[in-house]
Amino acid sequence: MGYHTMAYLNQQERAELLEKLQKMKFGRAKNTLNRMDPKGKMAYYRNAQQPGEVITCFELDGMGTRVFLIERLAHKPMGGALGLTKSEYQFVEVIVEPMPENRT
């Protein structure tokens, strides 16, 4: 799909995007979404909306689609007397939904 023929993604195309993103690691999915739509943008990055979960949201305005990458946050002990922990993110879910103006 060329940039000049950008169109809103229909339900099947959104399902295909969802399936493709689910097979990727978080970083690759994020980079793919960053490059997909020249009108798109990252709305927020690793926003904690629920305990133990962070969400990154992309708004692909040119495609009329919003994508959420959901990671589970775990704190692993690093050892030592200070009780320091290291945050680890596990990529667990992708949500692809149409924006309100996308009726396809």
Side-chain angles (χ1 to χ4, degrees):
M1 188 186 305
Y3 288 127
H4 57 283
T5 58
M6 195 62 63
Y8 284 169
L9 296 182
N10 64 33
Q11 189 171 352
Q12 183 183 342
E13 290 166 328
R14 288 192 303 270
E16 289 167 5
L17 175 62
L18 172 67
E19 197 174 311
K20 185 171 118 178
L21 293 171
Q22 285 174 328
K23 294 175 184 168
M24 297 179 182
K25 290 189 183 320
F26 176 79
R28 181 136 184 248
K30 184 169 71 81
N31 291 338
T32 298
L33 290 167
N34 260 332
R35 291 190 313 268
M36 248 179 118
D37 181 2
K39 294 181 187 167
K41 65 184 181 298
M42 183 187 294
Y44 48 85
Y45 177 71
R46 288 188 170 161
N47 186 338
Q49 296 182 354
Q50 294 177 22
E53 209 173 72
V54 291
I55 301 175
T56 300
C57 176
F58 284 86
E59 292 182 349
L60 306 177
D61 292 332
M63 298 176 158
T65 302
R66 189 174 289 126
V67 180
F68 299 95
L69 304 178
I70 301 169
E71 296 172 285
R72 193 160 291 128
L73 180 60
H75 298 287
K76 304 281 183 201
M78 289 173 61
L82 297 176
L84 297 175
T85 61
K86 177 181 191 277
S87 295
E88 279 190 5
Y89 297 95
Q90 180 187 4
F91 187 29
V92 293
E93 188 180 357
V94 179
I95 298 172
V96 178
E97 66 183 26
M99 292 176 127
E101 62 274 14
N102 182 352
R103 301 203 191 342
T104 59

